[in-house]
Amino acid sequence: MAGKIMMESGAEIYRVEDTMNRIADVATNKKGISFATPTGIFMSIEGERNLQLETIPTRTINLEKVSLVNDLSREFSSRNITLEELHSSLAQLEKDTRFFPVWWQVIAAGLVSGALMIIFGGSWFDFISTCLIGTIGFIIYYYAAEWLKIKFLAEFLSSFVIGLLAVIAVDSHLGINLDKIIIGSVMPLVPGVPITNAVRDLLAGHLLGGMARGMEALLTAGAIGIGIAVVFRFFA
């Protein structure tokens, strides 16, 4: 359960396996044997014939959950809580879908878009337009991911709309630098954490999981790039 929560929340594979093994070591006084991939987790105890499998159907980024599981694991490893208390806490955490409200995420996406556009050398004249375009793009991404349930399609649709709105803004003299507006607006969609985790997994020796996560991040970035390229090909 601990490994499943962490993997679904975007934790690195080496961290997932280490946490599971530590819990198993303390709970059974035997060595835990785990094997984690982005889509499934295998767990057993040394000397046992039974093997448990948990599938990971969905993955998101929720580092708060990862931190909470780590805290519970440390508490259990220090024997400050019992196995039953650990299980009940993890069960409650698994049901908990704590996220910032959607309106907070939308506002943050808009402000991040405008701020990063300035950091990348854009003009303050484009700030408002970039914030609005980034906000609209994130709204489309959020609800497309919720309704369509098709991987990478939400990124393509949102980046396509971002590119189209950026072209309209520049043609309407509401913006100056088309490239800077687009770069800032798509930044909330960029898979920064998955790319970082993929590199960390590769450096930790988890080649299979690192390559799988890296490919997923690459396809996400490709979907964003294709959405922008379609706009440049037919509308710019």
Side-chain angles (χ1 to χ4, degrees):
M1 188 185 297
K4 183 173 184 288
I5 294 172
M6 295 181 73
M7 188 63 74
E8 289 178 340
S9 301
E12 306 94 322
I13 288 177
Y14 74 86
R15 188 186 303 274
V16 173
E17 292 184 353
D18 181 66
T19 300
M20 295 168 64
N21 291 338
R22 287 178 183 272
I23 293 175
D25 293 346
V26 176
T28 64
N29 293 321
K30 295 182 181 180
K31 184 180 179 181
I33 303 173
S34 62
F35 179 74
T37 71
T39 55
I41 296 176
F42 301 86
M43 184 70 197
S44 185
I45 305 296
E46 187 177 36
E48 299 288 338
R49 292 189 175 183
N50 295 328
L51 176 72
Q52 186 172 354
L53 166 66
E54 282 284 354
T55 59
I56 312 296
T58 59
R59 293 173 299 280
T60 184
I61 303 298
N62 192 333
L63 300 184
E64 184 178 6
K65 275 193 172 184
V66 176
S67 177
L68 290 174
V69 174
N70 276 333
D71 292 341
L72 290 172
S73 172
R74 294 189 185 98
E75 287 290 313
F76 180 69
S77 298
S78 302
R79 302 188 185 278
N80 295 326
I81 59 176
T82 64
L83 183 61
E84 290 74 16
E85 291 173 333
L86 174 64
H87 181 271
S88 61
S89 298
L90 289 173
Q92 182 178 359
L93 183 60
E94 186 178 29
K95 296 177 183 178
D96 187 7
T97 55
R98 60 178 69 190
F99 273 102
F100 288 105
V102 178
W103 62 274
W104 260 117
Q105 297 181 48
V106 169
I107 293 175
L111 293 177
V112 165
S113 299
L116 289 176
M117 182 273 298
I118 298 296
I119 291 175
F120 284 117
S123 169
W124 281 103
F125 182 80
D126 298 332
F127 183 79
I128 300 298
S129 298
T130 305
C131 288
L132 291 175
I133 294 172
T135 299
I136 295 172
F138 183 81
I139 291 174
I140 293 173
Y141 165 75
Y142 182 88
Y143 287 104
E146 285 285 320
W147 295 339
L148 298 178
K149 303 293 184 182
I150 301 176
K151 195 67 175 175
F152 311 119
L153 183 58
E155 289 87 348
F156 169 78
L157 292 176
S158 56
S159 62
F160 175 80
V161 172
I162 285 172
L164 190 60
L165 291 177
V167 171
I168 294 174
V170 172
D171 290 344
S172 303
H173 305 291
L174 299 176
I176 300 175
N177 300 310
L178 177 62
D179 57 338
K180 299 298 190 298
I181 293 175
I182 292 177
I183 290 172
S185 299
V186 301
M187 286 308 291
L189 310 178
V190 173
V193 174
I195 292 175
T196 303
N197 287 348
V199 174
R200 295 182 68 178
D201 283 333
L202 288 172
L203 294 178
H206 293 274
L207 302 181
L208 179 62
M211 292 178 64
R213 278 190 165 171
M215 182 58 66
E216 183 178 17
L218 182 63
L219 290 174
T220 300
I224 296 172
I226 291 172
I228 300 298
V230 170
V231 172
F232 277 4
R233 176 63 179 84
F234 296 101
F235 300 98

